[in-house]
């Protein structure tokens, strides 16, 4: 191996690089002295062209490296007048490639390039172009101020580590079945999208920073694949990750402070996010649209000025052990026939609604906590919501609001300290509650042709009415305990229907059950220890009370008023502080096989103002005074041999 020295000095025997290349044998080194060399080089054998580190060498001109040739360049400034064209192998170490005179600085056509410690700058179009199965490895390099793209690939591959790309339109433009792998790279200050991935291409990164771009951080389309691990994306004007008809896998990534969205999934895009933080965006932290798929685990979605996660247009999303917090609009918004599931997740401290679903969307929430949201915890409008084994607590609005044909099923959940009714339904809403617990606050409010099914549940310590149904609403309550309310236990108003079976209702300060212009069936249940009436049945209402126990109320235990009708069968009324049955204003009571006992008040049974009481096979006992009282065209009739 020989060293051929080149110098522009008048005393040098070799003054041009071209002559040195012609004289060189395979493996020779060509050392350039300080100076400017304007050359047109086609290098046909393996040589090394270099300068000493302290020398200032500028190589200007045309450089061509054919197939099966390897050329190394060390410590040089190269300013091609036409692109450096490589079909073989080019190795650059500690070089500056300056593109002021050409549109593309380095072009590989089926070739290979290795760059380390280099700067590639000022191309009018592209710093490095790789075409037709070319490949390159880049380490500790800087790409800066190249016009359209720092690096362009088509059907090629590149690996970049510990490098930086800034001030171009694009950092990477990855076309047609190309592959890019980056590690510990900084991409910033591009005027367009920083990384474009197209046409079945792949971009994978470990531990890089992509920030401060005027377009997207990464844009992927047409069946491309994006794989990120420990990547940070921030401060982009458009969605930081735009994935369209492509796949994304992100692990331990930090995606924050975007001017629009953090992640946009469109047109059958698929994404898998694990241990990621997505926060501080203007419109949405994550958007999944047009039949996209998203699976997110062990992640955080917080502090968006808009929606935390938006799911639209038949998309499907799944969240496991993910936290939604402090988003200004809905923390999770699901619409347009989309499907969402959440498990072991937390939705907390939102400025508005926790979970909002509408337009035939479906959402299942399992083993989650929905807490401290400034509005409703969960809202369903014309959608289907299933909630299982969750805690819904301390929200300023409702626990669940169901509206406009919404269907809500809730099992094994706890609701407490919500500012508005834990469950609210309106306009043909369907709500089924099973094995739930409601503590403090108004528990359930349903109206306007809605349906309520409440089974095996406990309601206690309510403020105001614990359950209220109105406006042609149907309620079925079975095997429940309702106690310790400051208002009524249950109110049924305005042509509603109320069925209560196998339940216990107790200790309310106001009349425990109020039925107004509605109907009631009360079977095999207990009504006891109220600070006011047990029942108020009024205003053209109808009630059937059967196989039940009514006791210890401070006011008449069954109050019937305003043209209402009550039938009592096989029921025991006892220990009332006042009358057991009080009927007035054209109302009627029919009893069959009942027992009515009182030892505290004169007149167990009273009928006034055109009312009627018919006692059949009924035992009436009063150790305090008289049993019956009637006035003003009212009547009490009984079968005498059954009345003691």
């Amino acid at each position: 191996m020989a060293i051929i020295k080149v110098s522009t000095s008048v005393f040098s025997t070799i003054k041009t690089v071209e002559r040195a290349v012609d004289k060189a044998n395979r493996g020779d080194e060509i050392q350039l002295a300080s100076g400017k060399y304007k050359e047109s080089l086609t290098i046909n054998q393996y040589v090394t062209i270099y300068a000493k580190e302290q020398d200032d060498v500028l190589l200007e001109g045309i450089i061509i490296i054919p197939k099966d040739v390897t050329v190394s360049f060390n410590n040089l400034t190269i300013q091609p007048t036409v692109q450096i064209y490589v079909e073989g192998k080019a190795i650059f170490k500690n070089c500056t490639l300056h593109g002021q005179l050409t549109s593309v600085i380095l072009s590989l056509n089926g070739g290979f390039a290795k760059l380390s410690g280099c700067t590639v700058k000022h191309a009018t179009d592209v710093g490095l172009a790789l075409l037709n199965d070319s490949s390159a490895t880049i380490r500790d390099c800087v790409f800066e101020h190249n016009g359209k793209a720092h690096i362009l690939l088509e059907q090629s591959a590149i690996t970049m580590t510990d490098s930086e790309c800034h001030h171009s339109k694009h950092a990477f433009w990855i076309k047609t079945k190309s592959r890019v792998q980056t590690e510990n790279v900084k991409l910033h200050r591009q005027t367009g999208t920083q990384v474009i991935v197209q046409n079945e291409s792949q971009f994978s990164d470990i531990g890089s920073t992509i920030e401060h771009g005027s377009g997207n951080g990464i844009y992927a389309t047409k069946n491309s694949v994006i794989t990120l691990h420990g990547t940070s994306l921030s401060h982009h004007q458009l969605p930081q990750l735009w994935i369209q008809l492509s796949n994304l896998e992100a692990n331990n990534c930090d995606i924050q402070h975007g001017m629009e969205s953090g992640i946009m999934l469109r047109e059958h895009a698929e994404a898998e996010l694990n241990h990621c933080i997505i926060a501080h965006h203007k419109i949405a932290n994550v958007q999944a649209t047009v039949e996209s798929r998203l699976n997110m685990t062990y992640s955080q979605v917080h502090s968006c000025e808009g929606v935390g996660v938006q799911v639209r247009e038949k998309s499907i999303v799944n969240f496991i052990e993910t936290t939604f917090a402090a988003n200004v609009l809905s923390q999770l918004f699901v619409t347009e026939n989309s499907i969402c599931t959440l498990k072991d997740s937390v939705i907390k401290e939102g400025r508005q609604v926790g979970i909002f679903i509408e337009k035939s969307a479906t959402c299942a929430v399992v083993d989650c906590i929905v807490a401290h949201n400034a509005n409703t915890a969960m809202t369903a409008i014309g959608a289907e919501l299933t909630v299982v084994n969750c805690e819904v607590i301390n929200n300023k609005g409702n626990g669940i609001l169901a509206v406009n044909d919404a269907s809500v099923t809730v099992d094994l959940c706890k609701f407490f300290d919500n500012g508005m009714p834990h469950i609210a339904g309106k306009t043909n809403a369907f709500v089924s509650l099973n094995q739930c617990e409601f503590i403090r606050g108004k528990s359930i409010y349903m109206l306007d042709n809605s349906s309520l099914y409440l089974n095996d549940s406990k309601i206690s310590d309510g403020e105001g009415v614990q359950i209220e149904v109105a406006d042609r609403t149907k309620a079925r309550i079975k095997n429940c305990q309702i106690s310790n309310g400051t208002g009524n236990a249950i109110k049924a108003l305005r042509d509603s229907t109320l069925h209560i079976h196998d339940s216990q209702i107790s200790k309310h300060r106001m009349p425990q059950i109020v039925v107004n212009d509605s109907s009631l069936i009360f079977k095999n249940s207990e009504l006891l220890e109220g600070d006011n009436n047990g029942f108020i049945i009024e205003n053209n209402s109808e009630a059937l009370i059967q196989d039940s126990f009514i006791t210890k109320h401070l006011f008449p235990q069954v109050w019937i008023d305003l043209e209402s009708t009550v039938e009592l069968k096989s029921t025991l009324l006892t220990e009332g502080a006042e009358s057991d049955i009080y009927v007035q204003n054209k109302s009627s009571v029919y009893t069959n096989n009942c027992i009515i006992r009182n030892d505290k008040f004169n007149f167990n049974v009273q009928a006034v103002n055109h009312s009627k009481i018919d006692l059949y096979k009924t035992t009436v006992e009063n150790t305090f005074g008289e049993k019956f009282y009637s006035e003003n065209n009212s009547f009490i009739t009984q079968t005498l041999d059954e009345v003691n």
Side-chain angles (χ1 to χ4, degrees), residues 138-141 143 151 159-165 171-172 180-188 195 203-211 230-232:
I138 300 170
R139 179 181 292 275
D140 193 27
C141 293
F143 287 73
I151 299 173
T159 300
M160 176 185 281
T161 58
D162 303 315
S163 298
E164 181 179 0
C165 299
F172 288 95
V180 172
Q181 294 179 298
T182 57
E183 182 174 355
N184 194 31
V185 168
K186 184 175 183 180
L187 310 180
H188 64 109
V195 179
F203 176 79
S204 62
D205 175 73
I206 299 174
S208 295
T209 299
I210 305 172
E211 63 182 8
T231 305
S232 174

Side-chain angles (χ1 to χ4, degrees), residues 285-302:
N285 282 323
V286 180
Q287 292 180 283
T289 67
V290 194
E291 300 184 50
S292 293
R293 306 288 184 267
L294 168 65
N295 186 55
M296 183 182 296
T297 59
Y298 310 106
S299 296
Q300 299 178 42
V301 180
H302 68 84

Side-chain angles (χ1 to χ4, degrees), residues 517-528:
D517 186 27
S518 298
S519 64
L520 165 70
I521 295 176
F522 188 86
K523 285 188 175 182
N524 199 31
S525 298
E526 296 179 352
L527 186 68
L528 49 101

Side-chain angles (χ1 to χ4, degrees), residues 532-588:
N532 208 293
N533 304 98
F535 289 99
I536 290 184
I537 314 296
E538 61 183 358
N539 193 18
N540 293 291
S541 294
E542 296 179 351
L544 169 63
I545 302 169
Q546 183 175 344
D547 301 319
S548 296
F549 179 53
I550 304 168
T551 186
K552 295 183 180 179
H553 293 89
L554 299 183
F555 290 91
Q557 303 208 81
V558 181
W559 179 290
I560 304 99
D561 197 359
L562 297 172
E563 302 183 37
S564 297
T565 302
V566 174
E567 183 176 1
L568 289 99
K569 291 183 176 181
S570 305
T571 294
L572 172 62
L573 294 89
T574 185
E575 297 187 69
E578 292 190 7
S579 295
D580 295 296
I581 299 175
Y582 188 94
V583 185
Q584 67 175 5
N585 297 327
K586 301 181 180 180
S587 297
S588 302

Side-chain angles (χ1 to χ4, degrees), residues 287-337:
Q287 292 180 283
T289 67
V290 194
E291 300 184 50
S292 293
R293 306 288 184 267
L294 168 65
N295 186 55
M296 183 182 296
T297 59
Y298 310 106
S299 296
Q300 299 178 42
V301 180
H302 68 84
S303 305
C304 181
E305 293 183 23
V307 178
V309 176
Q310 183 182 79
V311 187
R312 301 180 58 187
E313 299 163 308
K314 298 182 181 179
S315 295
I316 299 174
V317 299
N318 179 53
F319 302 95
I320 298 175
E321 294 197 39
T322 293
T323 298
F324 298 73
N327 297 289
V328 172
L329 300 181
S330 301
Q331 307 230 55
L332 173 60
F333 178 67
V334 187
T335 186
E336 296 165 353
N337 297 101

Side-chain angles (χ1 to χ4, degrees), residues 158-176:
I158 195 169
T159 300
M160 176 185 281
T161 58
D162 303 315
S163 298
E164 181 179 0
C165 299
H166 63 89
H167 290 94
S168 178
K169 187 172 183 181
H170 310 295
F172 288 95
W173 193 339
I174 307 166
K175 293 181 163 184
T176 312

Side-chain angles (χ1 to χ4, degrees), residues 17 21 28-30 32 39 41-52 57-60 62-66 69-80 84-86 88-97 105-106 108 112-119:
V17 181
V21 169
D28 284 350
E29 296 181 355
I30 300 171
L32 307 185
E39 307 275 353
L41 302 174
T42 298
I43 304 172
N44 291 304
Q45 57 187 337
Y46 172 43
V47 295
T48 298
I49 302 173
Y50 73 100
K52 294 181 179 180
V57 175
L58 172 62
L59 179 59
E60 179 183 312
I62 300 171
I63 299 175
I64 298 173
I65 301 174
V69 174
T70 300
V71 181
S72 296
F73 301 90
N74 301 337
N75 305 320
L76 302 175
T77 297
I78 302 174
Q79 186 170 301
I84 301 170
Y85 183 77
V86 179
K89 295 182 180 180
I91 300 171
F92 299 88
K93 183 177 180 181
N94 299 326
C95 292
T96 297
L97 307 183
I105 296 175
L106 177 58
L108 310 181
F112 170 81
K114 180 178 180 181
L115 290 81
S116 60
C118 296
T119 299

Side-chain angles (χ1 to χ4, degrees), residues 404-464:
N404 294 349
D405 300 294
S407 176
V408 174
T409 302
V410 184
D411 295 335
L412 301 164
C413 292
K414 293 183 179 179
F415 294 77
F416 54 91
D417 293 323
N418 294 298
M420 297 180 69
H422 298 308
I423 306 293
K426 181 180 179 182
T427 314
N428 300 308
F430 171 89
V431 175
S432 176
L433 309 171
N434 304 285
Q435 300 183 62
C436 294
E437 186 173 358
F438 302 86
I439 304 174
R440 295 183 290 276
K442 184 173 182 177
S443 294
I444 301 171
Y445 181 46
M446 304 284 295
L447 72 158
D448 194 10
N449 290 297
S450 296
S451 298
L452 169 67
Y453 293 83
L454 178 65
N455 302 299
D456 304 303
S457 297
K458 294 181 180 180
I459 300 175
S460 64
D461 302 306
E463 299 171 2

